[in-house]
Amino acid sequence: MKTYRFPRGFLWGASTSSHQVEGDNHWNDWWEYERSGRLPHKSGDACQHYERFEQDFDLARAWGHNAHRFSLEWSRIEPSAGNWNMDALAHYREVIRALRERGLEPVVTLHHFTNPAWFSRSGGWLRSDSAKLFVRYAEQVVTNLGTEVKYWVTVNEPTDYVMQGYVNGEWPPFLKSAWIKATIVFRNLARAHVGAYRVLHRNRPDLMVGFSHNASPIIPCNSGRRRDRAAARLRDLIWNRAFLQLIGIRRRNAPPTARNLDFIGLNYYKRTIVHSSGFGLGAILGRTCQLSHHPDHGPISAMGWEVYPHGLKLVLENFSHFGLPLLVTENGIATDDESLRRDFLVKHLQNLADALDSGVDVIGYLYWSLIDNFEWALGTKPRFGLAGVDYSSQQRSPRSVVEDFSRVCRENQLFLPVAST
Ligand code: FCB
């Protein structure tokens, strides 16, 4: 047996986001698009977490977690421009209190994909004052909740948000290859981060403020082929570095001119293999390889994503070069195969431990997700939860993986037969 010990105070827990669990979020843009039929599924009651949060946090406590990540729903807090819903803020104060009562450190996200409908209807992140409006929201939040929370995530997966909404056209506002708009939105999200960082810190200087990045190691299809290597490098720059560059964080010992990031949140799900072919973007950035092209690939999840645990170590090592603490803000698998879920978790934790062993500063690991939830354009079919949710009765049923994860959370260590690496 090999024992991996995690650092003292390591954060262990799970993540959720407002629109995916709360239910009845009818002030936001996703809800509007769901109703208009533009999105194939309706979030409806989701997991009724807005009402059931205490019961859900009881599970987290019973499982030995000491942290929990959730997001504030901007559209509840500011349902129309400049009008603040004090009840919504009071609700989130209760949520934070409920977490603290159960010994769970709150990790609070300000923006997790959804926007207030009024904001989107008037141009959303293309608005030249979008960052200012976001910072005004952050200011309200900080005035009402600021001193109670130490860990903040300003924006969840800005790169993914822009790609899905403005390049792939799969998420609101469904624009395809709108590269100029994508750049504007990306820049505004970076400004929003920096503005929110300052406002949050004004209240409590010891805060830890970061953003969450959907981190994927970008691997050339054929490492002996120069074109593939060049495409992988460029893609890595755009996907994994551009947002950090925009907010002024450069690699390797170059201290930021003004501090605007305390940790990097990493969401890790899969690797990206790229093959450069033809002309234009396909040549420069490469095309993502179909897994059938790599017959030695790992198991495939219900999302069609390859299980590639070593990728977690790769991204942790890669992002450690920015010289900031790292927090795994999401990592999980959608599957109905519980032995695959267990294997996924154990192997990813092992890679996390390996990264720590090699000196990477990781401060916590938050599993995606606490409970099954509304997986955006795919609806409720993908099952990511540590507990399953029966959407007709809203019953939560802990899955077998909970036993393994709880042991790690409680003991702050991982036992493994050496051969299982
Ligand atoms: C991440 C999102 C999260 C969830 C998982 C599966 O990219 O941040 O909301 O959808 O994927």
Side-chain angles (χ1 to χ4, degrees):
M1 293 289 273
K2 181 162 183 200
T3 308
Y4 293 101
R5 288 202 175 76
F6 291 90
R8 200 136 54 94
F10 199 76
L11 299 174
W12 289 111
S15 288
T16 60
S17 90
S18 54
H19 191 66
Q20 294 180 272
V21 292
E22 286 183 346
D24 202 24
N25 263 322
H26 58 261
W27 300 272
N28 77 30
D29 51 356
W30 269 78
W31 184 275
E32 280 207 341
Y33 282 114
E34 289 165 15
R35 298 287 132 174
S36 72
R38 195 72 204 266
L39 282 160
H41 301 278
K42 292 194 173 71
S43 52
D45 280 347
C47 308
Q48 289 181 356
H49 180 74
Y50 201 78
E51 288 79 32
R52 295 169 186 262
F53 62 95
E54 294 195 293
Q55 168 199 332
D56 290 337
F57 298 161
D58 284 345
L59 293 175
R61 172 175 54 188
W63 299 340
H65 296 188
N66 64 12
H68 178 74
R69 173 177 174 230
F70 71 99
S71 74
L72 305 176
E73 178 59 39
W74 180 7
S75 66
R76 284 187 188 269
I77 294 175
E78 192 180 3
S80 59
N83 291 320
W84 307 103
N85 178 351
M86 289 302 153
D87 290 346
L89 284 161
H91 167 84
Y92 289 120
R93 235 188 338 267
E94 277 301 292
V95 168
I96 292 161
R97 182 197 49 77
L99 288 172
R100 288 234 177 272
E101 268 174 20
R102 290 164 178 79
L104 299 160
E105 180 73 41
V107 178
V108 181
T109 306
L110 288 174
H111 185 272
H112 197 122
F113 299 155
T114 52
N115 302 298
W118 63 263
F119 175 80
S120 284
R121 275 191 231 118
S122 62
W125 289 99
L126 286 167
R127 285 177 66 141
S128 55
D129 61 351
S130 51
K132 223 160 107 192
L133 293 172
F134 182 77
V135 174
R136 185 177 70 174
Y137 149 65
E139 209 145 13
Q140 266 309 313
V141 167
V142 104
T143 312
N144 285 276
L145 318 170
T147 52
E148 330 255 332
V149 178
K150 175 169 182 197
Y151 294 93
W152 294 91
V153 172
T154 53
V155 183
N156 183 65
E157 300 187 352
T159 316
D160 212 30
Y161 176 83
V162 170
M163 292 306 282
Q164 299 278 38
Y166 296 83
V167 177
N168 303 335
E170 282 172 14
W171 287 3
F174 305 102
L175 302 183
K176 279 202 170 71
S177 302
W179 289 102
I180 295 177
K181 289 189 172 149
T183 312
I184 296 171
V185 168
F186 201 49
R187 206 190 46 203
N188 284 335
L189 286 167
R191 287 186 179 142
H193 165 84
V194 173
Y197 180 93
R198 297 201 179 126
V199 161
L200 288 166
H201 268 282
R202 219 185 281 151
N203 243 35
R204 225 183 105 171
D206 67 323
L207 292 185
M208 293 288 282
V209 181
F211 73 96
S212 283
H213 173 60
N214 183 334
S216 183
I218 319 265
I219 293 165
C221 172
N222 176 352
S223 56
R225 194 164 171 258
R226 213 171 47 199
R227 280 183 65 169
D228 287 1
R229 287 201 309 271
R233 256 199 316 273
L234 188 60
R235 224 180 234 253
D236 182 56
L237 194 77
I238 295 173
W239 186 267
N240 286 323
R241 322 225 165 278
F243 196 75
L244 283 152
Q245 298 259 343
L246 267 186
I247 63 173
I249 308 287
R250 312 240 177 275
R251 272 184 92 122
R252 296 212 193 269
N253 308 333
T257 38
R259 197 162 173 86
N260 46 27
L261 195 65
D262 304 316
F263 72 91
I264 305 175
L266 295 176
N267 298 348
Y268 173 67
Y269 290 96
K270 58 181 169 64
R271 66 173 163 170
T272 307
I273 308 176
V274 295
H275 175 71
S276 162
S277 70
F279 302 97
L281 280 185
I284 303 168
L285 290 176
R287 298 176 204 283
T288 51
C289 278
Q290 296 305 309
L291 289 172
S292 53
H293 190 197
H294 291 268
D296 59 338
H297 64 70
I300 310 296
S301 77
M303 301 288 282
W305 298 346
E306 181 196 11
V307 176
Y308 184 67
H310 182 59
L312 179 58
K313 182 165 185 240
L314 291 180
V315 295
L316 289 169
E317 284 175 346
N318 208 350
F319 282 86
S320 72
H321 297 307
F322 291 100
L324 291 165
L326 306 175
L327 171 60
V328 179
T329 38
E330 291 180 28
N331 174 235
I333 180 171
T335 182
D336 293 324
D337 175 346
E338 294 317 311
S339 75
L340 178 59
R341 196 189 307 276
R342 180 186 181 275
D343 205 51
F344 176 99
L345 176 77
V346 172
K347 294 208 166 110
H348 281 79
L349 290 183
Q350 192 175 351
N351 276 282
L352 167 69
D354 281 349
L356 279 154
D357 263 4
S358 66
V360 178
D361 181 12
V362 192
I363 57 174
Y365 173 92
L366 306 172
Y367 187 83
W368 184 270
S369 177
L370 185 70
I371 50 177
D372 285 345
N373 57 53
F374 180 75
E375 178 48 37
W376 306 112
L378 300 176
T380 50
K381 202 154 179 278
R383 301 284 178 164
F384 275 98
L386 290 173
V389 172
D390 174 341
Y391 291 99
S392 53
S393 63
Q394 287 296 343
Q395 178 141 352
R396 279 53 166 157
S397 309
R399 297 205 159 97
S400 52
V401 71
V402 159
E403 218 178 287
D404 301 281
F405 191 40
S406 290
R407 196 170 315 124
V408 177
C409 299
R410 282 209 185 86
E411 298 176 358
N412 201 28
Q413 57 186 12
L414 175 71
F415 289 112
L416 275 180
V418 176
S420 82
T421 62

